[in-house]
Amino acid sequence: MGIEMKLSVLAVAAFSTLAFAATAQADDNFPGAPGVITLPGKCQKLVVAKFDATKGCKGELASVTLVNGTVTFIFTSDGKLLGFQGDGKGIKPASNGNARLPLSLVTTGVGNKMTGEVKVAGSCTFGNPYAGKPTAIECTAESKDAAFTGSFRTNGKGPAQKTPEKNKK
């Protein structure tokens, strides 16, 4: 099962309240309208507690936005998923034209299902991937027991929006 299909199944199964946008038009207001987009590029770092999962980290990052405004950045490494989740209504400007998403949860999963969540404090800082140049998404979070870090750099190509209709094959 390819990453695109896994992400679609993940979005539908793990986020049952997700309502996808009716059209697949690019939204320059990243992370944008409810739906799933994928960003091509390079995973630069993925660490869960003391485990470094960077070596197996995929060159595609998913951004899932729910109708209630929740935003999750999902990293994939060797069949495992790590999502950095926060309330998109709390996104604030950061330095160098970036934005910052405050985090409340880190979600974990295997294959195509999110099965766990940990309350955290932290943030994801990101640029606009629609700008036509490489941009970074950097997430750091801490729970009472562990620290989580994810860093991804897009390749400058725009995000691809995923809808259930496109992936049912």
Side-chain angles (χ1 to χ4, degrees):
M1 183 182 288
I3 184 108
E4 290 179 13
M5 188 62 172
K6 284 181 183 179
L7 292 172
S8 288
V9 172
L10 165 70
V12 173
F15 304 115
S16 60
T17 61
L18 182 63
F20 289 95
T23 63
Q25 296 175 359
D27 182 0
D28 287 341
N29 186 14
F30 181 72
V36 177
I37 62 171
T38 57
L39 304 164
K42 181 173 177 23
C43 180
Q44 296 179 310
K45 185 175 186 180
L46 186 60
V47 178
V48 179
K50 294 180 180 178
F51 179 72
D52 188 342
T54 305
K55 186 176 180 183
C57 194
K58 300 292 180 208
E60 187 172 66
L61 178 77
S63 173
V64 178
T65 303
L66 304 180
V67 293
N68 68 2
T70 299
V71 174
T72 307
F73 292 110
I74 302 173
F75 292 78
T76 306
S77 180
D78 293 328
K80 296 179 179 75
L81 307 170
L82 185 68
F84 292 88
Q85 181 176 319
D87 184 349
K89 296 174 201 138
I91 294 174
K92 302 277 189 237
S95 61
N96 299 323
N98 290 326
R100 180 168 289 121
L101 169 70
L103 299 172
S104 57
L105 289 175
V106 165
T107 56
T108 58
V110 176
N112 59 4
K113 294 183 182 177
M114 295 305 256
T115 55
E117 59 183 46
V118 178
K119 289 185 179 184
V120 297
S123 65
C124 289
T125 303
F126 55 91
N128 183 351
Y130 291 101
K133 60 183 180 180
T135 189
I137 294 106
E138 297 180 351
C139 301
T140 57
E142 291 187 14
S143 71
K144 63 179 184 169
D145 299 319
F148 306 87
T149 303
S151 180
F152 187 89
R153 186 156 184 87
T154 68
N155 62 10
K157 294 181 181 175
Q161 184 149 4
K162 305 298 177 193
T163 60
E165 296 76 27
K166 286 184 179 180
N167 289 327
K168 284 186 177 177
K169 290 186 179 180

